[in-house]
Amino acid sequence: MAVVQQTLIGFQGQEEIEGVVDSVIYASDDGKFSVFRVKPSQQNSRITATIKGEPPLVGQQVHLKGQWVNHARFGQQFRAASIRIEAPSSVEGIERFLASGVIDGVGKAMAHRLVTAFGQDTLTIIEEKPKRLLEVPGIGRQTADKIVASYRSQSELGEIMLWLENHGISGTFAGRIFRKYSSFSLDMLENHPYQLAQEVEGIGFATADTIAASLGLPKDHEQRVMAGIDYALQQIALAGHCCIPAGPLVERASRLLTVDRERVREVLRRELQAQRLIVEEARGETLIYPPYLYRAEIKTARKLLYLQRYADPINLAQSPLRLVARWEHETGLTLSDGQRQAMAAVLLHGVFVLTGGPGTGKTTVIRGMLDLLESQGLEILLGAPTGRAAKRLAEATGRKTMTVHRMLEAQGGQSGAGAPVFGKTEDEQLEADVIILDEVSMMDIVLMQHFLAAVPDGCHVILVGDVDQLPAVGPGAVLEDILRSGAIPCVCLTEIFRQHEESTIVVNAHAINAGRLPVCSLHGDFQFWEMPDEAATAAKILEFCTKILPAQGFSPLFDVQVLSPMHRQACGVDNLNKLLQEALNPAAPSKPEFVNRTQTFRLGDKVMQMKNNYNKQVFNGDIGFIVNMEPGRLTVRFGEDLEVDYEQGEMGELQLAYAMSVHKSQGSEYPVIILPLTKGHYIMLQRNLLYTAVTRAKRLVILLGSRAALNTAVENDRTKRRYTLLAERLHQGKKKD
């Protein structure tokens, strides 16, 4: 097996330790940190070592350089700055290596038989004379083939690590590269380095660029410039755009690559000619699209217009307004003119949009729509972008509701541009006469495209949302663009119905949306507590969660949600989670916990799923509680009927959820929300963020921090324009009718 020198960071006053790896205690799922035990040469004791990188294998001989440190919780450890790894050479080390489970088909008993038969030559026999394995009792041809294949894969992994280290790249990427490309890994590294940035998790453009530079690829090489343009477009999509003017794209790529703009323009022209990128002329600008976002816009616009034109008519015995009037009489409810128009419109149009702020009666209209549509014998599906939004809709309507991902039968695996594989597509469509989606402001253009592809021709689609909330995290501004286009019938509800409940939350939400300061006090259901600094703000949040609110009958775990505009800072999500965990679920000798480099999980913790996991059927933003912990494994209960197991390598998908970002709270409602607004949050303070936060609360809003920060949030309506052409495509398509 190859010898690997893995140099990471330097320390002054370094010590050196040689020994055999006895066990691996912890390895982070991203390969950036590990803890393992080493038995030093000529010693019977064992030491604990840490390193920034993937761990060595049990039984390997290691040479560590670093220094001793005292960890507050785990005591004395050897923090390795560098590690040299060799294949084990002693009989004891070889047996321990083989028995560690890294070689398929070899357990402790088999490892002992192998070293008994071949001694120090065991690894050489496996690699160079594999037929001799048949001499060992219990090894047949199939087992021998499995052992050899597995050992050779470990050898290849060592070669990849060595190649990376020799080219100035951390060997910690070796495992992920090998899992992706197997025996073709070295070929990919040597001939297609920039492809790694698109296909291997954790390897970005910068790492791929370092590999390419080590191979001698010139800075202005076409492959490098193409990769730089692609990377710039990826960053643009992460910022919510579907496209970007050619000028800014060239400028971004030129700065990134430190290459002349004309060279970037030249390569961009070739990319456009080869149709690897798409160009559109609109608004007097030349706009550049990644192909997958261009297709998403085109298909979304076409399907919306098609459904609007050709949806099956609903045969009615009476006029829509007569049916609405009868519903009002039967239920004893009195609707506003806007609500009546909306209920009647769903019976007339193939696609319809209902929008409005809190307290304007959207939920009442949805319930009425369902009653009217069901009275016509129609098959109806209800959905929302997130699990929490779907649950809210189910509670409000009394009907079965699901997430859009579940509706589309999202599966494990990926198709182009990181999109999930869906069971429901244009070839295997949904079965429904009407589909109602709530919280559509959260849907990006790619998800909307996939949803519409699965909608059968003739089906009616009703889209509901609040366009003034934060836009989708992904690319596009779908709801805003549909409304802006004027191509799809819509009703915007403006009359507030909840004022009589003496709640100032709804009134203040509309005030904020109009650019007026909310009416606050230290009492009532909309409070503002001015604090001298961030430390005092964080301390007051803890006091609310541990003393004040529990005394008022609120559960800090189930009724209260702390939000924050940012992840960093003293009043950011990360720090507040640590403080609230210690206050609400402190460590105890009898309480199991799992510790990694960034956070600690304990039995009973409130946690959030941070990425879509189609195999486990849990999705980004789902919240649950840790109900069981075992070594290297924990179980989270999401809702009442779903318990999900996480192995050690999967725990990076979870984050503490005592506090969360405002973005993550979208689609949810809580009895109480607490939101710090401090000077440190300045870069994120804007009106739609504050509006989104306060509209999450049903009974009580508590704002804390700086009055200047509150003023800034209300006054700042300069939301960034998103580059999309969906509105223009819908408008142009409508004009052709």
Side-chain angles (χ1 to χ4, degrees):
M1 188 173 291
V3 176
V4 179
Q5 173 68 38
Q6 186 178 26
T7 303
L8 297 149
I9 53 176
F11 290 93
Q12 295 182 347
Q14 287 186 335
E15 296 184 38
E16 297 185 24
I17 292 176
E18 289 187 4
V20 176
V21 178
D22 182 74
S23 62
V24 175
I25 300 171
Y26 169 73
S28 66
D29 62 302
D30 58 7
K32 294 181 178 179
F33 181 74
S34 55
V35 184
F36 51 96
R37 286 196 176 92
V38 175
K39 181 181 179 183
S41 302
Q42 301 177 342
Q43 289 185 30
N44 291 324
S45 61
R46 288 165 177 75
I47 68 165
T48 299
T50 67
I51 194 163
K52 289 186 177 179
E54 291 186 346
L57 301 173
V58 172
Q60 286 184 321
Q61 187 76 26
V62 294
H63 183 103
L64 306 174
K65 289 184 180 181
Q67 64 180 8
W68 290 98
V69 296
N70 274 309
H71 190 281
R73 178 176 294 172
F74 303 111
Q76 192 176 52
Q77 298 178 338
F78 189 79
R79 183 185 294 167
S82 68
I83 179 172
R84 186 173 71 247
I85 304 172
E86 301 175 357
S89 55
S90 69
V91 172
E92 179 190 19
I94 292 170
E95 182 173 348
R96 188 180 295 274
F97 167 68
L98 292 173
S100 67
V102 298
I103 306 298
D104 290 344
V106 180
K108 291 183 179 180
M110 182 65 73
H112 182 70
R113 289 203 295 271
L114 283 166
V115 296
T116 299
F118 304 121
Q120 288 186 319
D121 296 328
T122 301
L123 298 183
T124 303
I125 294 294
I126 295 173
E127 190 166 15
E128 300 178 5
K129 302 175 182 179
K131 291 182 179 179
R132 291 197 59 192
L133 294 177
L134 300 174
E135 301 172 13
V136 179
I139 295 184
R141 184 168 299 280
Q142 188 174 359
T143 300
D145 290 344
K146 183 190 291 186
I147 292 170
V148 172
S150 181
Y151 180 78
R152 284 177 177 169
S153 73
Q154 293 294 335
S155 297
E156 290 178 8
L157 184 61
E159 291 175 11
I160 297 167
M161 292 178 70
L162 182 61
W163 192 97
L164 290 169
E165 294 294 342
N166 286 340
H167 290 77
I169 306 296
S170 170
T172 60
F173 294 113
R176 276 168 276 176
I177 293 171
F178 183 74
R179 284 191 291 273
K180 178 68 179 176
Y181 302 115
S182 188
S183 297
F184 297 98
S185 297
L186 290 179
D187 176 68
M188 293 299 298
L189 285 164
E190 292 172 351
N191 298 303
H192 309 283
Y194 290 106
Q195 197 167 328
L196 273 67
Q198 299 175 355
E199 298 179 347
V200 180
E201 185 177 0
I203 295 184
F205 173 81
T207 301
D209 202 37
T210 302
I211 294 172
S214 72
L215 296 170
L217 202 72
K219 287 178 64 175
D220 63 350
H221 192 280
E222 184 159 341
Q223 188 181 130
R224 180 172 186 265
V225 178
M226 285 168 52
I229 293 171
D230 286 344
Y231 179 70
L233 284 171
Q234 289 174 29
Q235 298 304 111
I236 288 158
L238 289 174
H241 305 289
C242 292
C243 56
I244 187 173
L249 175 61
V250 169
E251 179 64 31
R252 283 173 180 242
S254 175
R255 284 202 311 268
L256 170 72
L257 300 165
T258 61
V259 170
D260 183 77
R261 293 186 189 89
E262 190 51 47
R263 176 57 175 160
V264 176
R265 290 192 191 95
E266 178 187 341
V267 174
L268 179 58
R269 282 193 292 269
R270 292 178 188 172
E271 290 284 278
L272 294 171
Q273 289 168 0
Q275 295 187 333
R276 286 189 288 266
L277 298 176
I278 309 297
V279 62
E280 285 265 302
E281 298 291 338
R283 305 174 187 159
E285 297 176 302
T286 300
L287 299 171
I288 310 299
Y289 277 86
Y292 80 100
L293 290 177
Y294 176 79
R295 288 193 298 270
E297 269 196 7
I298 291 288
K299 291 182 177 182
T300 296
R302 284 178 181 169
K303 189 60 178 278
L304 284 171
L305 292 170
Y306 183 89
L307 291 171
Q308 176 58 21
R309 291 170 187 148
Y310 301 114
D312 294 333
I314 299 174
N315 296 317
L316 303 173
Q318 301 180 55
S319 73
L321 286 175
R322 281 180 177 270
L323 290 173
V324 173
R326 190 172 74 183
W327 181 85
E328 286 186 87
H329 177 73
E330 290 173 351
T331 60
L333 296 174
T334 302
L335 302 177
S336 69
D337 288 341
Q339 288 175 310
R340 292 190 189 98
Q341 291 173 21
M343 283 182 60
V346 301
L347 300 171
L348 299 173
H349 301 292
V351 182
F352 175 73
V353 178
L354 174 66
T355 184
T360 55
K362 293 195 300 295
T363 301
T364 299
V365 172
I366 293 173
R367 287 198 293 260
M369 289 175 177
L370 287 167
D371 289 343
L372 292 185
L373 294 166
E374 287 171 348
S375 72
Q376 304 302 312
L378 300 175
E379 182 71 24
I380 305 168
L381 290 179
L382 285 159
T386 68
R388 287 169 292 161
K391 183 178 179 182
R392 279 181 58 202
L393 185 59
E395 291 170 348
T397 61
R399 272 81 165 183
K400 179 183 177 182
T401 308
M402 64 188 80
T403 65
V404 177
H405 284 94
R406 286 195 174 95
M407 184 184 291
L408 299 180
E409 297 178 5
Q411 303 164 8
Q414 300 284 313
S415 63
V421 174
F422 291 109
K424 293 297 183 182
T425 65
E426 57 190 347
D427 297 322
E428 183 67 34
Q429 293 183 314
L430 297 162
E431 296 181 7
D433 300 308
V434 182
I435 303 175
I436 300 176
L437 294 187
D438 198 9
E439 297 287 357
V440 175
S441 64
M442 299 174 66
M443 290 183 67
D444 63 35
I445 190 69
V446 176
L447 183 58
M448 181 59 78
Q449 172 215 333
H450 284 290
F451 163 71
L452 290 171
V455 174
D457 294 348
C459 181
H460 291 243
V461 173
I462 301 165
L463 305 176
V464 184
D466 184 348
V467 74
D468 293 314
Q469 290 187 29
L470 289 168
V473 174
V478 176
L479 182 61
E480 180 184 347
D481 284 349
I482 290 173
L483 293 171
R484 189 162 57 87
S485 73
I488 303 297
C490 70
V491 168
C492 179
L493 302 177
T494 56
E495 184 176 340
I496 301 174
F497 285 89
R498 284 195 249 172
Q499 290 187 45
H500 64 278
E501 298 177 10
E502 299 181 357
S503 168
T504 55
I505 297 175
V506 171
V507 175
N508 276 339
H510 286 272
I512 291 167
N513 202 30
R516 302 191 304 272
L517 284 171
V519 177
C520 310
S521 68
L522 296 181
H523 308 285
D525 62 2
F526 203 104
Q527 303 178 14
F528 177 77
W529 294 73
E530 191 162 11
M531 309 302 297
D533 53 41
E534 290 198 39
T537 303
K540 192 67 176 179
I541 290 172
L542 291 182
E543 185 182 356
F544 269 110
C545 291
T546 58
K547 297 178 182 178
I548 299 174
L549 292 172
Q552 296 174 9
F554 293 109
S555 164
L557 292 179
F558 297 98
D559 298 331
V560 180
Q561 185 58 59
V562 177
L563 306 179
S564 178
M566 297 179 70
H567 278 269
R568 298 177 183 174
Q569 311 281 346
C571 286
V573 171
D574 298 338
N575 189 54
L576 289 174
N577 264 324
K578 292 177 183 177
L579 296 174
L580 288 164
Q581 182 192 44
E582 289 303 318
L584 300 175
N585 190 28
S590 60
K591 188 180 295 181
E593 64 178 36
F594 173 84
V595 181
N596 66 19
R597 208 163 41 91
T598 57
Q599 58 187 343
T600 297
F601 292 125
R602 293 192 189 113
L603 185 65
D605 271 338
K606 182 179 180 181
V607 294
M608 178 190 292
Q609 175 76 16
M610 298 302 292
K611 61 186 289 188
N612 292 334
N613 189 317
Y614 304 100
N615 293 319
K616 295 182 184 296
Q617 287 294 293
V618 287
F619 301 99
N620 191 349
D622 287 352
I623 289 181
F625 289 85
I626 297 176
V627 294
N628 185 51
M629 296 192 81
E630 301 171 10
R633 179 175 178 162
L634 58 80
T635 303
V636 179
R637 178 178 293 146
F638 294 95
E640 298 176 357
D641 56 358
L642 178 63
E643 289 193 357
V644 179
D645 293 328
Y646 291 81
E647 301 298 330
Q648 181 170 300
E650 299 171 320
M651 294 180 194
E653 296 183 14
L654 297 172
Q655 178 179 292
L656 294 174
Y658 300 99
M660 69 176 72
S661 69
V662 178
H663 275 93
K664 288 291 186 185
S665 73
Q666 282 186 268
S668 301
E669 273 192 346
Y670 308 94
V672 182
I673 71 104
I674 300 176
L675 177 71
L677 297 168
T678 69
K679 293 179 181 178
H681 295 152
Y682 180 80
I683 192 171
M684 291 296 294
L685 295 178
Q686 56 191 44
R687 188 182 300 168
N688 60 354
L689 182 140
L690 179 59
Y691 173 78
T692 300
V694 302
T695 54
R696 302 308 92 207
K698 292 190 287 187
R699 295 176 58 186
L700 177 60
V701 171
I702 300 172
L703 308 180
L704 309 93
S706 159
R707 192 167 291 278
L710 174 61
N711 293 341
T712 298
V714 173
E715 293 169 2
N716 181 11
D717 195 29
R718 298 186 299 276
T719 54
K720 291 183 179 178
R721 170 195 174 190
R722 291 193 169 191
Y723 280 102
T724 79
L725 290 179
L726 178 62
E728 286 77 3
R729 298 187 200 285
L730 288 168
H731 181 71
Q732 289 298 320
K734 185 69 173 177
K735 283 174 61 178
K736 293 177 182 178
D737 286 355

